[in-house]
Amino acid sequence: MKKGLLIVVSAPSGCGKGTILRQILKDEKYYYSVSATTRKPREGEIDGVHYCFLSHEQFENLITENAFLEHASYCGNYYGTLRKPIEENLANGHHVILEIEVNGAMQIRKLCPEAKFIFIAPPSLEAVKKRLEHRGTESPEVINQRLQQAEEELNCKNQYDYCIINDVLQEAIADFKSVIRAEELKIQNA
Amino acid sequence: MKKGLLIVVSAPSGCGKGTILRQILKDEKYYYSVSATTRKPREGEIDGVHYCFLSHEQFENLITENAFLEHASYCGNYYGTLRKPIEENLANGHHVILEIEVNGAMQIRKLCPEAKFIFIAPPSLEAVKKRLEHRGTESPEVINQRLQQAEEELNCKNQYDYCIINDVLQEAIADFKSVIRAEELKIQNA
C-alpha cells in the first residue's frame, strides 16, 4: 500500500479556506484531521467533526501523554493535532489534510519534513475584511483582531511550499487539486 | 516580468511524448526549444520546427563557440540545445520546454538545478513496441534498437522530478498541466 501525503494547510481567517477544503474533501482519498481545541464551539460546529472540543484539563493531560503531534496557543485557547489518526490514515494510503495556523504548521515542518505545506492567501486584506463581515459570526472587535492576525500570517507565507490565492473559488480548488496531483506524480513520493 | 520555468522532458521512443507536447504547446505561455541535430530528417520533419538540421561540421563549430547548453551523441548523431533562445524566452516569462534524451537531461540537471525534470513513461514495454510498429517509420532492426534503448532509459526515470505514465492520453496531458501549475504555485518559483 502506497503511503498517503501529509498536507498542511494554513490561511488567515476569511480566506475561504473552509469552502475550498469542503470541496476537496468530497474525494474519499482524503482524510481530514480534526483538530482538538479548548475554544468554545461556534454556532453549528459539531464536536468530532469541526473540532474535538476539550476542556483545558483534558487538553493538558493529553499534552502530558505526548498524544499531540503539535499544539499551540492562539487567542487564549489551545489548539492541537492528535498523532494517532494521522499515522493510521497515512499508512492506509489516504492523503491527510491538517488545517492549522502558522505556528502549528512550522512545528509540523520540523517534525515531518516530508509534509507538503500549502498557504491559502486572499487577493487582498480588504477582501478578508469583507468576508469576515459577511460571515456575521464575529463582533467588530474580533474582526479587527483577526485582520491584524491575518496581516501577520500573510508575512509567513514564504515558509510554505505553495501559495494559492483564493480570488475565484473554482480556480483555487483546481489549483489545490493540481498541487496534490503533482505531488502524487513526484518520483520521491512514488 | 516573472521568469518562466525551464521544463526538461524525456521519454523513450514510442511513449507518445510528441502527442502530449503538441497539446501542451497550444498554450502560448510555452516556448518549445528546437534541438539541433546532425541526424537526417524523417519524412515530414521541417528544419527549424522539429529540429535545426545541421551538418557535422556546423555542429562541431558551434560546440567550439560554446553555443550549446548541452550536447550529446546518440545512435551515431549529435543532438544539442542552443543556449540563447532559451535564455531569452525564460526572461520573457515563457515556460521553455526542452525535449531531450536522458544523458542530455542529466547534463542540464547539473547546469540548471532550478529546471524541472519530467519523465514520460509508457504503461509497459509491450505498449512501446506496438506504438513504434504502428508508426511504421522505422525498420524492424531500428525498432529493436529503440526498444532496448527504451528499457535502459526507463531505468533512469528516478533521476527525474516527476513521472507521468502515458496510458490514457487525456489523463497524461492533464497530469502534465497539473505539474506545471503546481510549479507556478510554488513559493520558491514566485
Side-chain angles (χ1 to χ4, degrees), chain A residues 157-158 160-164 175 177-179 181-183 185-188, chain B residues 157-158 160-164 175 177-179 181-183 185-188:
Chain A
K157 79 164 195 240
N158 289 349
Y160 286 70
D161 298 313
Y162 299 97
C163 180
I164 295 171
D175 281 349
K177 289 179 180 174
S178 288
V179 165
R181 184 61 185 144
E183 288 290 340
L185 295 168
K186 267 196 185 163
I187 300 280
Q188 69 186 61
Chain B
K157 78 164 197 239
N158 289 348
Y160 286 69
D161 297 315
Y162 299 97
C163 179
I164 295 171
D175 281 349
K177 289 181 180 171
S178 288
V179 165
R181 184 61 185 145
E183 288 291 339
L185 295 167
K186 265 195 187 164
I187 298 281
Q188 68 186 60

PDB file of all heavy atoms in Angstrom, chain A residues 157-158 160-164 175 177-179 181-183 185-188, chain B residues 157-158 160-164 175 177-179 181-183 185-188:
ATOM      1  N   LYS A 157       3.886  33.476   4.665  1.00  0.00           N
ATOM      2  CA  LYS A 157       3.572  32.569   3.563  1.00  0.00           C
ATOM      3  C   LYS A 157       4.829  32.034   2.870  1.00  0.00           C
ATOM      4  O   LYS A 157       4.798  30.948   2.301  1.00  0.00           O
ATOM      5  CB  LYS A 157       2.605  33.229   2.573  1.00  0.00           C
ATOM      6  CG  LYS A 157       3.229  34.195   1.616  1.00  0.00           C
ATOM      7  CD  LYS A 157       2.301  34.488   0.449  1.00  0.00           C
ATOM      8  CE  LYS A 157       3.085  35.155  -0.647  1.00  0.00           C
ATOM      9  NZ  LYS A 157       2.700  36.439  -1.064  1.00  0.00           N
ATOM     10  N   ASN A 158       5.937  32.772   2.953  1.00  0.00           N
ATOM     11  CA  ASN A 158       7.166  32.296   2.304  1.00  0.00           C
ATOM     12  C   ASN A 158       7.763  31.057   2.964  1.00  0.00           C
ATOM     13  O   ASN A 158       8.680  30.452   2.438  1.00  0.00           O
ATOM     14  CB  ASN A 158       8.213  33.407   2.266  1.00  0.00           C
ATOM     15  CG  ASN A 158       7.833  34.483   1.276  1.00  0.00           C
ATOM     16  OD1 ASN A 158       6.901  34.288   0.480  1.00  0.00           O
ATOM     17  ND2 ASN A 158       8.508  35.616   1.320  1.00  0.00           N
ATOM     18  N   TYR A 160       6.020  28.422   3.363  1.00  0.00           N
ATOM     19  CA  TYR A 160       5.232  27.297   2.833  1.00  0.00           C
ATOM     20  C   TYR A 160       5.812  26.839   1.492  1.00  0.00           C
ATOM     21  O   TYR A 160       6.649  27.526   0.893  1.00  0.00           O
ATOM     22  CB  TYR A 160       3.768  27.723   2.691  1.00  0.00           C
ATOM     23  CG  TYR A 160       3.093  27.814   4.057  1.00  0.00           C
ATOM     24  CD1 TYR A 160       3.427  28.815   4.964  1.00  0.00           C
ATOM     25  CD2 TYR A 160       2.166  26.856   4.452  1.00  0.00           C
ATOM     26  CE1 TYR A 160       2.857  28.869   6.230  1.00  0.00           C
ATOM     27  CE2 TYR A 160       1.587  26.904   5.707  1.00  0.00           C
ATOM     28  CZ  TYR A 160       1.937  27.917   6.592  1.00  0.00           C
ATOM     29  OH  TYR A 160       1.379  27.948   7.837  1.00  0.00           O
ATOM     30  N   ASP A 161       5.346  25.681   1.022  1.00  0.00           N
ATOM     31  CA  ASP A 161       5.797  25.187  -0.287  1.00  0.00           C
ATOM     32  C   ASP A 161       5.019  25.838  -1.422  1.00  0.00           C
ATOM     33  O   ASP A 161       5.571  26.130  -2.475  1.00  0.00           O
ATOM     34  CB  ASP A 161       5.614  23.666  -0.368  1.00  0.00           C
ATOM     35  CG  ASP A 161       6.453  22.933   0.664  1.00  0.00           C
ATOM     36  OD1 ASP A 161       7.642  23.268   0.790  1.00  0.00           O
ATOM     37  OD2 ASP A 161       5.919  22.050   1.352  1.00  0.00           O
ATOM     38  N   TYR A 162       3.711  26.001  -1.210  1.00  0.00           N
ATOM     39  CA  TYR A 162       2.832  26.506  -2.264  1.00  0.00           C
ATOM     40  C   TYR A 162       1.963  27.624  -1.706  1.00  0.00           C
ATOM     41  O   TYR A 162       1.555  27.584  -0.541  1.00  0.00           O
ATOM     42  CB  TYR A 162       1.894  25.400  -2.767  1.00  0.00           C
ATOM     43  CG  TYR A 162       2.596  24.201  -3.369  1.00  0.00           C
ATOM     44  CD1 TYR A 162       2.845  23.059  -2.618  1.00  0.00           C
ATOM     45  CD2 TYR A 162       3.005  24.215  -4.704  1.00  0.00           C
ATOM     46  CE1 TYR A 162       3.486  21.957  -3.172  1.00  0.00           C
ATOM     47  CE2 TYR A 162       3.642  23.114  -5.263  1.00  0.00           C
ATOM     48  CZ  TYR A 162       3.878  21.988  -4.497  1.00  0.00           C
ATOM     49  OH  TYR A 162       4.507  20.904  -5.052  1.00  0.00           O
ATOM     50  N   CYS A 163       1.647  28.582  -2.555  1.00  0.00           N
ATOM     51  CA  CYS A 163       0.674  29.608  -2.178  1.00  0.00           C
ATOM     52  C   CYS A 163      -0.438  29.666  -3.219  1.00  0.00           C
ATOM     53  O   CYS A 163      -0.172  29.865  -4.413  1.00  0.00           O
ATOM     54  CB  CYS A 163       1.343  30.978  -2.063  1.00  0.00           C
ATOM     55  SG  CYS A 163       0.162  32.265  -1.614  1.00  0.00           S
ATOM     56  N   ILE A 164      -1.672  29.447  -2.757  1.00  0.00           N
ATOM     57  CA  ILE A 164      -2.836  29.504  -3.646  1.00  0.00           C
ATOM     58  C   ILE A 164      -3.639  30.746  -3.276  1.00  0.00           C
ATOM     59  O   ILE A 164      -4.045  30.901  -2.122  1.00  0.00           O
ATOM     60  CB  ILE A 164      -3.701  28.236  -3.484  1.00  0.00           C
ATOM     61  CG1 ILE A 164      -2.913  27.008  -3.963  1.00  0.00           C
ATOM     62  CG2 ILE A 164      -5.030  28.369  -4.234  1.00  0.00           C
ATOM     63  CD1 ILE A 164      -3.586  25.681  -3.644  1.00  0.00           C
ATOM     64  N   ASP A 175      -6.503  24.697  -8.488  1.00  0.00           N
ATOM     65  CA  ASP A 175      -5.086  24.836  -8.124  1.00  0.00           C
ATOM     66  C   ASP A 175      -4.713  23.846  -7.019  1.00  0.00           C
ATOM     67  O   ASP A 175      -3.656  23.217  -7.061  1.00  0.00           O
ATOM     68  CB  ASP A 175      -4.799  26.270  -7.645  1.00  0.00           C
ATOM     69  CG  ASP A 175      -4.643  27.248  -8.803  1.00  0.00           C
ATOM     70  OD1 ASP A 175      -4.554  26.801  -9.965  1.00  0.00           O
ATOM     71  OD2 ASP A 175      -4.605  28.461  -8.531  1.00  0.00           O
ATOM     72  N   LYS A 177      -6.091  20.998  -6.373  1.00  0.00           N
ATOM     73  CA  LYS A 177      -6.031  19.644  -6.950  1.00  0.00           C
ATOM     74  C   LYS A 177      -4.763  19.452  -7.784  1.00  0.00           C
ATOM     75  O   LYS A 177      -4.169  18.372  -7.779  1.00  0.00           O
ATOM     76  CB  LYS A 177      -7.276  19.383  -7.818  1.00  0.00           C
ATOM     77  CG  LYS A 177      -8.547  19.215  -6.995  1.00  0.00           C
ATOM     78  CD  LYS A 177      -9.768  18.972  -7.893  1.00  0.00           C
ATOM     79  CE  LYS A 177     -11.034  18.815  -7.060  1.00  0.00           C
ATOM     80  NZ  LYS A 177     -12.245  18.730  -7.899  1.00  0.00           N
ATOM     81  N   SER A 178      -4.356  20.507  -8.516  1.00  0.00           N
ATOM     82  CA  SER A 178      -3.123  20.408  -9.308  1.00  0.00           C
ATOM     83  C   SER A 178      -1.911  20.161  -8.417  1.00  0.00           C
ATOM     84  O   SER A 178      -1.035  19.357  -8.737  1.00  0.00           O
ATOM     85  CB  SER A 178      -2.893  21.693 -10.114  1.00  0.00           C
ATOM     86  OG  SER A 178      -3.805  21.773 -11.176  1.00  0.00           O
ATOM     87  N   VAL A 179      -1.879  20.869  -7.281  1.00  0.00           N
ATOM     88  CA  VAL A 179      -0.743  20.689  -6.362  1.00  0.00           C
ATOM     89  C   VAL A 179      -0.691  19.243  -5.860  1.00  0.00           C
ATOM     90  O   VAL A 179       0.370  18.612  -5.873  1.00  0.00           O
ATOM     91  CB  VAL A 179      -0.856  21.671  -5.168  1.00  0.00           C
ATOM     92  CG1 VAL A 179       0.090  21.260  -4.037  1.00  0.00           C
ATOM     93  CG2 VAL A 179      -0.552  23.092  -5.622  1.00  0.00           C
ATOM     94  N   ARG A 181      -2.043  16.537  -7.255  1.00  0.00           N
ATOM     95  CA  ARG A 181      -1.734  15.612  -8.347  1.00  0.00           C
ATOM     96  C   ARG A 181      -0.236  15.641  -8.675  1.00  0.00           C
ATOM     97  O   ARG A 181       0.389  14.591  -8.878  1.00  0.00           O
ATOM     98  CB  ARG A 181      -2.568  15.973  -9.588  1.00  0.00           C
ATOM     99  CG  ARG A 181      -2.394  14.998 -10.743  1.00  0.00           C
ATOM    100  CD  ARG A 181      -2.815  13.587 -10.365  1.00  0.00           C
ATOM    101  NE  ARG A 181      -2.558  12.604 -11.401  1.00  0.00           N
ATOM    102  CZ  ARG A 181      -2.184  11.341 -11.162  1.00  0.00           C
ATOM    103  NH1 ARG A 181      -2.058  10.903  -9.927  1.00  0.00           N
ATOM    104  NH2 ARG A 181      -1.982  10.507 -12.145  1.00  0.00           N
ATOM    105  N   ALA A 182       0.333  16.851  -8.721  1.00  0.00           N
ATOM    106  CA  ALA A 182       1.770  16.962  -8.997  1.00  0.00           C
ATOM    107  C   ALA A 182       2.579  16.237  -7.924  1.00  0.00           C
ATOM    108  O   ALA A 182       3.539  15.532  -8.222  1.00  0.00           O
ATOM    109  CB  ALA A 182       2.187  18.432  -9.091  1.00  0.00           C
ATOM    110  N   GLU A 183       2.159  16.380  -6.672  1.00  0.00           N
ATOM    111  CA  GLU A 183       2.884  15.680  -5.596  1.00  0.00           C
ATOM    112  C   GLU A 183       2.759  14.161  -5.753  1.00  0.00           C
ATOM    113  O   GLU A 183       3.708  13.435  -5.476  1.00  0.00           O
ATOM    114  CB  GLU A 183       2.372  16.128  -4.224  1.00  0.00           C
ATOM    115  CG  GLU A 183       2.798  17.550  -3.844  1.00  0.00           C
ATOM    116  CD  GLU A 183       4.297  17.668  -3.552  1.00  0.00           C
ATOM    117  OE1 GLU A 183       4.943  16.654  -3.263  1.00  0.00           O
ATOM    118  OE2 GLU A 183       4.817  18.793  -3.633  1.00  0.00           O
ATOM    119  N   LEU A 185       2.652  12.653  -8.510  1.00  0.00           N
ATOM    120  CA  LEU A 185       3.491  12.277  -9.654  1.00  0.00           C
ATOM    121  C   LEU A 185       4.982  12.426  -9.372  1.00  0.00           C
ATOM    122  O   LEU A 185       5.812  12.020 -10.182  1.00  0.00           O
ATOM    123  CB  LEU A 185       3.120  13.124 -10.878  1.00  0.00           C
ATOM    124  CG  LEU A 185       1.705  12.914 -11.421  1.00  0.00           C
ATOM    125  CD1 LEU A 185       1.361  14.001 -12.434  1.00  0.00           C
ATOM    126  CD2 LEU A 185       1.570  11.540 -12.074  1.00  0.00           C
ATOM    127  N   LYS A 186       5.318  13.021  -8.217  1.00  0.00           N
ATOM    128  CA  LYS A 186       6.733  13.190  -7.888  1.00  0.00           C
ATOM    129  C   LYS A 186       7.391  11.846  -7.679  1.00  0.00           C
ATOM    130  O   LYS A 186       6.865  10.993  -6.965  1.00  0.00           O
ATOM    131  CB  LYS A 186       6.884  14.036  -6.619  1.00  0.00           C
ATOM    132  CG  LYS A 186       7.051  15.497  -6.896  1.00  0.00           C
ATOM    133  CD  LYS A 186       7.570  16.216  -5.680  1.00  0.00           C
ATOM    134  CE  LYS A 186       7.606  17.714  -5.934  1.00  0.00           C
ATOM    135  NZ  LYS A 186       7.722  18.448  -4.651  1.00  0.00           N
ATOM    136  N   ILE A 187       8.561  11.693  -8.282  1.00  0.00           N
ATOM    137  CA  ILE A 187       9.323  10.447  -8.129  1.00  0.00           C
ATOM    138  C   ILE A 187       9.579  10.162  -6.649  1.00  0.00           C
ATOM    139  O   ILE A 187       9.436   9.025  -6.199  1.00  0.00           O
ATOM    140  CB  ILE A 187      10.667  10.561  -8.879  1.00  0.00           C
ATOM    141  CG1 ILE A 187      10.440  10.804 -10.367  1.00  0.00           C
ATOM    142  CG2 ILE A 187      11.538   9.354  -8.607  1.00  0.00           C
ATOM    143  CD1 ILE A 187      10.104   9.581 -11.163  1.00  0.00           C
ATOM    144  N   GLN A 188       9.917  11.198  -5.890  1.00  0.00           N
ATOM    145  CA  GLN A 188      10.281  10.957  -4.489  1.00  0.00           C
ATOM    146  C   GLN A 188       9.094  10.501  -3.637  1.00  0.00           C
ATOM    147  O   GLN A 188       9.283   9.929  -2.563  1.00  0.00           O
ATOM    148  CB  GLN A 188      10.930  12.197  -3.872  1.00  0.00           C
ATOM    149  CG  GLN A 188       9.958  13.358  -3.690  1.00  0.00           C
ATOM    150  CD  GLN A 188      10.659  14.625  -3.219  1.00  0.00           C
ATOM    151  OE1 GLN A 188      11.533  15.151  -3.888  1.00  0.00           O
ATOM    152  NE2 GLN A 188      10.289  15.128  -2.058  1.00  0.00           N
TER     153      GLN A 188
ATOM    154  N   LYS B 157      14.491   6.818 -14.856  1.00  0.00           N
ATOM    155  CA  LYS B 157      13.391   7.728 -14.510  1.00  0.00           C
ATOM    156  C   LYS B 157      13.493   8.265 -13.082  1.00  0.00           C
ATOM    157  O   LYS B 157      12.997   9.351 -12.791  1.00  0.00           O
ATOM    158  CB  LYS B 157      12.034   7.070 -14.780  1.00  0.00           C
ATOM    159  CG  LYS B 157      11.585   6.083 -13.752  1.00  0.00           C
ATOM    160  CD  LYS B 157      10.097   5.804 -13.899  1.00  0.00           C
ATOM    161  CE  LYS B 157       9.622   5.154 -12.622  1.00  0.00           C
ATOM    162  NZ  LYS B 157       9.037   3.877 -12.708  1.00  0.00           N
ATOM    163  N   ASN B 158      14.178   7.543 -12.209  1.00  0.00           N
ATOM    164  CA  ASN B 158      14.307   8.005 -10.823  1.00  0.00           C
ATOM    165  C   ASN B 158      15.180   9.243 -10.674  1.00  0.00           C
ATOM    166  O   ASN B 158      15.235   9.834  -9.602  1.00  0.00           O
ATOM    167  CB  ASN B 158      14.841   6.893  -9.925  1.00  0.00           C
ATOM    168  CG  ASN B 158      13.803   5.814  -9.709  1.00  0.00           C
ATOM    169  OD1 ASN B 158      12.629   6.004 -10.051  1.00  0.00           O
ATOM    170  ND2 ASN B 158      14.211   4.693  -9.163  1.00  0.00           N
ATOM    171  N   TYR B 160      14.566  11.880 -12.353  1.00  0.00           N
ATOM    172  CA  TYR B 160      13.678  12.998 -12.731  1.00  0.00           C
ATOM    173  C   TYR B 160      12.863  13.443 -11.509  1.00  0.00           C
ATOM    174  O   TYR B 160      12.821  12.760 -10.487  1.00  0.00           O
ATOM    175  CB  TYR B 160      12.762  12.557 -13.878  1.00  0.00           C
ATOM    176  CG  TYR B 160      13.529  12.484 -15.187  1.00  0.00           C
ATOM    177  CD1 TYR B 160      14.496  11.495 -15.392  1.00  0.00           C
ATOM    178  CD2 TYR B 160      13.347  13.433 -16.181  1.00  0.00           C
ATOM    179  CE1 TYR B 160      15.236  11.448 -16.561  1.00  0.00           C
ATOM    180  CE2 TYR B 160      14.084  13.385 -17.352  1.00  0.00           C
ATOM    181  CZ  TYR B 160      15.018  12.402 -17.536  1.00  0.00           C
ATOM    182  OH  TYR B 160      15.752  12.372 -18.685  1.00  0.00           O
ATOM    183  N   ASP B 161      12.216  14.611 -11.643  1.00  0.00           N
ATOM    184  CA  ASP B 161      11.363  15.093 -10.546  1.00  0.00           C
ATOM    185  C   ASP B 161       9.988  14.438 -10.582  1.00  0.00           C
ATOM    186  O   ASP B 161       9.418  14.122  -9.536  1.00  0.00           O
ATOM    187  CB  ASP B 161      11.187  16.618 -10.651  1.00  0.00           C
ATOM    188  CG  ASP B 161      12.502  17.351 -10.495  1.00  0.00           C
ATOM    189  OD1 ASP B 161      13.272  16.997  -9.584  1.00  0.00           O
ATOM    190  OD2 ASP B 161      12.773  18.269 -11.298  1.00  0.00           O
ATOM    191  N   TYR B 162       9.451  14.273 -11.798  1.00  0.00           N
ATOM    192  CA  TYR B 162       8.087  13.768 -11.950  1.00  0.00           C
ATOM    193  C   TYR B 162       8.076  12.651 -12.985  1.00  0.00           C
ATOM    194  O   TYR B 162       8.831  12.700 -13.962  1.00  0.00           O
ATOM    195  CB  TYR B 162       7.151  14.869 -12.458  1.00  0.00           C
ATOM    196  CG  TYR B 162       7.031  16.066 -11.547  1.00  0.00           C
ATOM    197  CD1 TYR B 162       7.785  17.213 -11.753  1.00  0.00           C
ATOM    198  CD2 TYR B 162       6.136  16.058 -10.470  1.00  0.00           C
ATOM    199  CE1 TYR B 162       7.673  18.315 -10.916  1.00  0.00           C
ATOM    200  CE2 TYR B 162       6.015  17.156  -9.628  1.00  0.00           C
ATOM    201  CZ  TYR B 162       6.784  18.278  -9.852  1.00  0.00           C
ATOM    202  OH  TYR B 162       6.669  19.362  -9.030  1.00  0.00           O
ATOM    203  N   CYS B 163       7.203  11.687 -12.790  1.00  0.00           N
ATOM    204  CA  CYS B 163       6.994  10.665 -13.809  1.00  0.00           C
ATOM    205  C   CYS B 163       5.513  10.609 -14.175  1.00  0.00           C
ATOM    206  O   CYS B 163       4.649  10.410 -13.311  1.00  0.00           O
ATOM    207  CB  CYS B 163       7.462   9.304 -13.305  1.00  0.00           C
ATOM    208  SG  CYS B 163       7.194   8.011 -14.543  1.00  0.00           S
ATOM    209  N   ILE B 164       5.225  10.833 -15.446  1.00  0.00           N
ATOM    210  CA  ILE B 164       3.844  10.767 -15.943  1.00  0.00           C
ATOM    211  C   ILE B 164       3.724   9.531 -16.819  1.00  0.00           C
ATOM    212  O   ILE B 164       4.476   9.368 -17.785  1.00  0.00           O
ATOM    213  CB  ILE B 164       3.505  12.032 -16.762  1.00  0.00           C
ATOM    214  CG1 ILE B 164       3.535  13.255 -15.843  1.00  0.00           C
ATOM    215  CG2 ILE B 164       2.151  11.893 -17.453  1.00  0.00           C
ATOM    216  CD1 ILE B 164       3.421  14.577 -16.580  1.00  0.00           C
ATOM    217  N   ASP B 175      -2.220  15.546 -16.382  1.00  0.00           N
ATOM    218  CA  ASP B 175      -1.143  15.411 -15.392  1.00  0.00           C
ATOM    219  C   ASP B 175      -0.008  16.398 -15.681  1.00  0.00           C
ATOM    220  O   ASP B 175       0.526  17.031 -14.771  1.00  0.00           O
ATOM    221  CB  ASP B 175      -0.573  13.982 -15.409  1.00  0.00           C
ATOM    222  CG  ASP B 175      -1.457  13.003 -14.652  1.00  0.00           C
ATOM    223  OD1 ASP B 175      -2.386  13.456 -13.937  1.00  0.00           O
ATOM    224  OD2 ASP B 175      -1.227  11.783 -14.764  1.00  0.00           O
ATOM    225  N   LYS B 177      -0.234  19.253 -17.198  1.00  0.00           N
ATOM    226  CA  LYS B 177      -0.690  20.602 -16.830  1.00  0.00           C
ATOM    227  C   LYS B 177      -0.691  20.795 -15.310  1.00  0.00           C
ATOM    228  O   LYS B 177      -0.384  21.880 -14.814  1.00  0.00           O
ATOM    229  CB  LYS B 177      -2.088  20.857 -17.399  1.00  0.00           C
ATOM    230  CG  LYS B 177      -2.092  21.025 -18.916  1.00  0.00           C
ATOM    231  CD  LYS B 177      -3.497  21.290 -19.440  1.00  0.00           C
ATOM    232  CE  LYS B 177      -3.496  21.453 -20.964  1.00  0.00           C
ATOM    233  NZ  LYS B 177      -4.867  21.500 -21.518  1.00  0.00           N
ATOM    234  N   SER B 178      -1.063  19.750 -14.578  1.00  0.00           N
ATOM    235  CA  SER B 178      -1.058  19.845 -13.111  1.00  0.00           C
ATOM    236  C   SER B 178       0.345  20.096 -12.579  1.00  0.00           C
ATOM    237  O   SER B 178       0.539  20.903 -11.665  1.00  0.00           O
ATOM    238  CB  SER B 178      -1.607  18.561 -12.470  1.00  0.00           C
ATOM    239  OG  SER B 178      -2.996  18.466 -12.656  1.00  0.00           O
ATOM    240  N   VAL B 179       1.311  19.394 -13.159  1.00  0.00           N
ATOM    241  CA  VAL B 179       2.698  19.569 -12.710  1.00  0.00           C
ATOM    242  C   VAL B 179       3.143  21.013 -12.933  1.00  0.00           C
ATOM    243  O   VAL B 179       3.719  21.645 -12.036  1.00  0.00           O
ATOM    244  CB  VAL B 179       3.638  18.590 -13.446  1.00  0.00           C
ATOM    245  CG1 VAL B 179       5.100  18.999 -13.279  1.00  0.00           C
ATOM    246  CG2 VAL B 179       3.424  17.164 -12.940  1.00  0.00           C
ATOM    247  N   ARG B 181       1.242  23.715 -13.315  1.00  0.00           N
ATOM    248  CA  ARG B 181       0.500  24.645 -12.456  1.00  0.00           C
ATOM    249  C   ARG B 181       1.053  24.618 -11.030  1.00  0.00           C
ATOM    250  O   ARG B 181       1.223  25.668 -10.401  1.00  0.00           O
ATOM    251  CB  ARG B 181      -0.996  24.288 -12.470  1.00  0.00           C
ATOM    252  CG  ARG B 181      -1.866  25.259 -11.691  1.00  0.00           C
ATOM    253  CD  ARG B 181      -1.783  26.666 -12.259  1.00  0.00           C
ATOM    254  NE  ARG B 181      -2.508  27.655 -11.470  1.00  0.00           N
ATOM    255  CZ  ARG B 181      -2.103  28.924 -11.314  1.00  0.00           C
ATOM    256  NH1 ARG B 181      -1.007  29.370 -11.906  1.00  0.00           N
ATOM    257  NH2 ARG B 181      -2.815  29.768 -10.586  1.00  0.00           N
ATOM    258  N   ALA B 182       1.317  23.409 -10.526  1.00  0.00           N
ATOM    259  CA  ALA B 182       1.862  23.301  -9.166  1.00  0.00           C
ATOM    260  C   ALA B 182       3.210  24.027  -9.073  1.00  0.00           C
ATOM    261  O   ALA B 182       3.471  24.741  -8.094  1.00  0.00           O
ATOM    262  CB  ALA B 182       2.007  21.836  -8.771  1.00  0.00           C
ATOM    263  N   GLU B 183       4.012  23.879 -10.109  1.00  0.00           N
ATOM    264  CA  GLU B 183       5.306  24.577 -10.083  1.00  0.00           C
ATOM    265  C   GLU B 183       5.109  26.094 -10.099  1.00  0.00           C
ATOM    266  O   GLU B 183       5.846  26.832  -9.459  1.00  0.00           O
ATOM    267  CB  GLU B 183       6.185  24.131 -11.264  1.00  0.00           C
ATOM    268  CG  GLU B 183       6.735  22.716 -11.114  1.00  0.00           C
ATOM    269  CD  GLU B 183       7.785  22.591 -10.001  1.00  0.00           C
ATOM    270  OE1 GLU B 183       8.376  23.626  -9.620  1.00  0.00           O
ATOM    271  OE2 GLU B 183       8.002  21.465  -9.517  1.00  0.00           O
ATOM    272  N   LEU B 185       2.746  27.606  -8.686  1.00  0.00           N
ATOM    273  CA  LEU B 185       2.238  27.986  -7.364  1.00  0.00           C
ATOM    274  C   LEU B 185       3.288  27.837  -6.270  1.00  0.00           C
ATOM    275  O   LEU B 185       3.061  28.239  -5.128  1.00  0.00           O
ATOM    276  CB  LEU B 185       1.012  27.138  -7.012  1.00  0.00           C
ATOM    277  CG  LEU B 185      -0.216  27.347  -7.904  1.00  0.00           C
ATOM    278  CD1 LEU B 185      -1.241  26.252  -7.666  1.00  0.00           C
ATOM    279  CD2 LEU B 185      -0.842  28.718  -7.648  1.00  0.00           C
ATOM    280  N   LYS B 186       4.443  27.251  -6.618  1.00  0.00           N
ATOM    281  CA  LYS B 186       5.484  27.068  -5.605  1.00  0.00           C
ATOM    282  C   LYS B 186       6.026  28.414  -5.173  1.00  0.00           C
ATOM    283  O   LYS B 186       6.338  29.274  -6.013  1.00  0.00           O
ATOM    284  CB  LYS B 186       6.641  26.230  -6.183  1.00  0.00           C
ATOM    285  CG  LYS B 186       6.504  24.761  -5.869  1.00  0.00           C
ATOM    286  CD  LYS B 186       7.813  24.060  -6.121  1.00  0.00           C
ATOM    287  CE  LYS B 186       7.612  22.569  -5.964  1.00  0.00           C
ATOM    288  NZ  LYS B 186       8.727  21.820  -6.552  1.00  0.00           N
ATOM    289  N   ILE B 187       6.160  28.574  -3.871  1.00  0.00           N
ATOM    290  CA  ILE B 187       6.692  29.817  -3.319  1.00  0.00           C
ATOM    291  C   ILE B 187       8.074  30.109  -3.913  1.00  0.00           C
ATOM    292  O   ILE B 187       8.381  31.241  -4.272  1.00  0.00           O
ATOM    293  CB  ILE B 187       6.802  29.705  -1.790  1.00  0.00           C
ATOM    294  CG1 ILE B 187       5.416  29.477  -1.162  1.00  0.00           C
ATOM    295  CG2 ILE B 187       7.513  30.911  -1.199  1.00  0.00           C
ATOM    296  CD1 ILE B 187       4.580  30.704  -1.036  1.00  0.00           C
ATOM    297  N   GLN B 188       8.900  29.088  -4.044  1.00  0.00           N
ATOM    298  CA  GLN B 188      10.286  29.321  -4.489  1.00  0.00           C
ATOM    299  C   GLN B 188      10.354  29.758  -5.944  1.00  0.00           C
ATOM    300  O   GLN B 188      11.353  30.318  -6.373  1.00  0.00           O
ATOM    301  CB  GLN B 188      11.148  28.075  -4.281  1.00  0.00           C
ATOM    302  CG  GLN B 188      10.772  26.909  -5.197  1.00  0.00           C
ATOM    303  CD  GLN B 188      11.549  25.648  -4.852  1.00  0.00           C
ATOM    304  OE1 GLN B 188      11.478  25.135  -3.752  1.00  0.00           O
ATOM    305  NE2 GLN B 188      12.313  25.146  -5.799  1.00  0.00           N
TER     306      GLN B 188
END
